[in-house]
Amino acid sequence: MRIFAGVQAMRGVAALSVVCGHAISARPDMVGPELAEGALTILASGVDIFFAISGFIIATTATAQHNPLDFAFRRALRIFPLYWLVLLAAFVSSSWIALAPGDRPALDLGTIFAWTYPNWYLGPAWSLAFELHFYVAVAIVLAIKPDRLFEILFAGFALVILALVFGLEAGIYFHPLVLEFGAGVVIAYLQRSGRLRFSRHFPAVSAGLFVAGWYWIFVRGAADPQFARVLTYGLGAGLLIHTVVAVEIEGRSFSPVLQWLGKISYALYIVHYLVVKWIASFDGLWLLSTVGTTIAGILLSIGLAAALHVAVEAPILDWGRKLSLMRRRRSLPAVP
């Protein structure tokens, strides 16, 4: 499968955006409640970019890999080892640090396998629940009708739209944010069919949608923030990824620094919240310099994520790739 450097770079941008949002809003008493909430409202849109990217990558991967068990194995290997390691650190830390409002809940299977949300121990891990449900849906399609992947996924997203129109509920599967995966699937379909075209209007429209989302949700106070989020951040993220893929097909290159951030983006996304909570618990640091402490939290998160990527994530993923390749070779018929 082709690895799109631009998509990798956008993963870095999305992860860094979320990290900055949590770092700035870690101590509202120091930076001010309005700045904290306003910054987190716009910077949290990195998750919407992640969802659009995930829809694109998963659809592209699944079309080249029709074995549902192999697909599920690779996805589980991508998510769980690093998540469990950081979750263990968060569980231990929760004895002296409040990771979320309210009393510390017991670790249940929903939290251990990131299947439910919200996640008291690792706040940003709520998005993993959406990711995992999407993976399961794709794996089921691969098991039933792999050659009709796009058609079935499009039918599923249409069902989500109908459910939202008629007010039906089915947990995550009928949640508005699911449609952001659909944006990525549409981009993958257009790219696969050779109909993906660059439009010079898309970047400006995308930026305008992100600004409109921040204004609608934070300034005006949307009655349904999730619905507003999909119509603004979600659509803006889709147009952004569409533009990135289109310009890369035309031969454009992307910053190596952003690509590197993209490589460590999952580790950065998972570990940063705990780092920020650790730093927020030291009052003396914030009294020295609010800006300096915020920047230190961001840099420390990036450094720890890089170490986790090299020491844990990359070796596990490499092992998974080799194991999958061995299984495929064994399943091939012998050639005389």
Side-chain angles (χ1 to χ4, degrees):
M1 185 192 76
R2 175 179 177 178
I3 298 176
F4 285 87
V7 174
Q8 186 86 294
M10 288 304 102
R11 288 178 65 176
V13 170
L16 189 59
S17 172
V18 176
V19 172
C20 290
H22 285 135
I24 293 171
S25 62
R27 291 296 298 264
D29 56 322
M30 294 292 182
V31 302
E34 285 197 6
L35 174 60
E37 186 181 354
L40 186 59
T41 299
I42 183 62
L43 294 173
S45 62
V47 176
D48 304 272
I49 298 175
F50 267 130
F51 283 171
I53 291 174
S54 184
F56 173 77
I57 291 178
I58 296 304
T60 304
T61 302
T63 53
Q65 181 182 327
H66 287 179
N67 187 321
L69 294 179
D70 194 42
F71 171 83
F73 171 74
R74 293 284 294 275
R75 290 294 97 196
L77 209 60
R78 182 82 170 89
I79 295 293
F80 289 124
L82 196 57
Y83 169 72
W84 285 334
L85 180 63
V86 179
L87 179 64
L88 177 61
F91 178 75
V92 174
S93 302
S94 65
S95 299
W96 65 86
I97 297 175
L99 297 175
D103 297 330
R104 181 179 71 167
L107 273 178
D108 56 13
L109 289 177
T111 302
I112 292 173
F113 288 97
W115 189 250
T116 56
Y117 75 102
N119 190 313
W120 190 91
Y121 292 92
L122 292 173
W126 68 266
S127 65
L128 295 186
F130 284 80
E131 295 273 358
L132 289 169
H133 281 78
F134 178 55
Y135 298 163
V136 168
V138 172
I140 291 173
V141 176
L142 290 178
I144 298 173
K145 201 73 174 174
D147 56 334
R148 290 289 182 267
L149 175 72
F150 285 107
E151 290 87 340
I152 296 175
L153 287 179
F154 288 150
F157 292 126
L159 185 61
V160 173
I161 294 174
L162 288 175
L164 293 174
V165 170
F166 291 103
L168 303 178
E169 295 184 4
I172 287 177
Y173 289 103
F174 284 172
H175 195 284
L177 289 177
V178 170
L179 296 176
E180 296 183 346
F181 294 103
V185 175
V186 169
I187 297 167
Y189 175 78
L190 293 174
Q191 187 270 329
R192 181 177 174 83
S193 60
R195 288 185 279 182
L196 194 70
R197 297 289 183 271
F198 170 73
S199 172
R200 59 186 179 86
H201 301 295
F202 280 4
V205 174
S206 175
L209 284 169
F210 280 108
V211 173
W214 177 82
Y215 180 80
W216 189 2
I217 297 170
F218 175 67
V219 179
R220 294 294 300 273
D224 187 347
Q226 300 299 344
F227 179 73
R229 183 173 188 165
V230 172
L231 289 183
T232 54
Y233 293 164
L235 186 55
L239 292 177
L240 175 63
I241 303 307
H242 180 285
T243 300
V244 167
V245 176
V247 297
E248 183 166 352
I249 291 174
E250 293 182 358
R252 307 282 181 88
S253 59
F254 294 85
S255 166
V257 175
L258 291 181
Q259 291 182 55
W260 176 78
L261 280 174
K263 287 183 179 180
I264 68 167
S265 60
Y266 177 61
L268 181 58
Y269 183 77
I270 286 298
V271 79
H272 83 273
Y273 186 75
L274 187 56
V275 173
V276 167
K277 286 295 182 180
W278 285 340
I279 293 177
S281 65
F282 293 100
D283 290 328
L285 292 174
W286 293 85
L287 293 173
L288 290 173
S289 172
T290 301
V291 174
T293 305
T294 301
I295 295 174
I298 296 169
L299 295 179
L300 184 59
S301 296
I302 294 174
L304 184 55
L308 287 173
H309 174 75
V310 172
V312 180
E313 186 181 22
I316 290 176
L317 294 179
D318 187 54
W319 173 78
R321 280 190 292 268
K322 291 177 180 177
L323 184 61
S324 296
L325 185 59
M326 289 173 59
R327 291 176 58 186
R328 283 184 210 162
R329 287 175 177 173
R330 289 173 183 171
S331 64
L332 290 175
V335 178

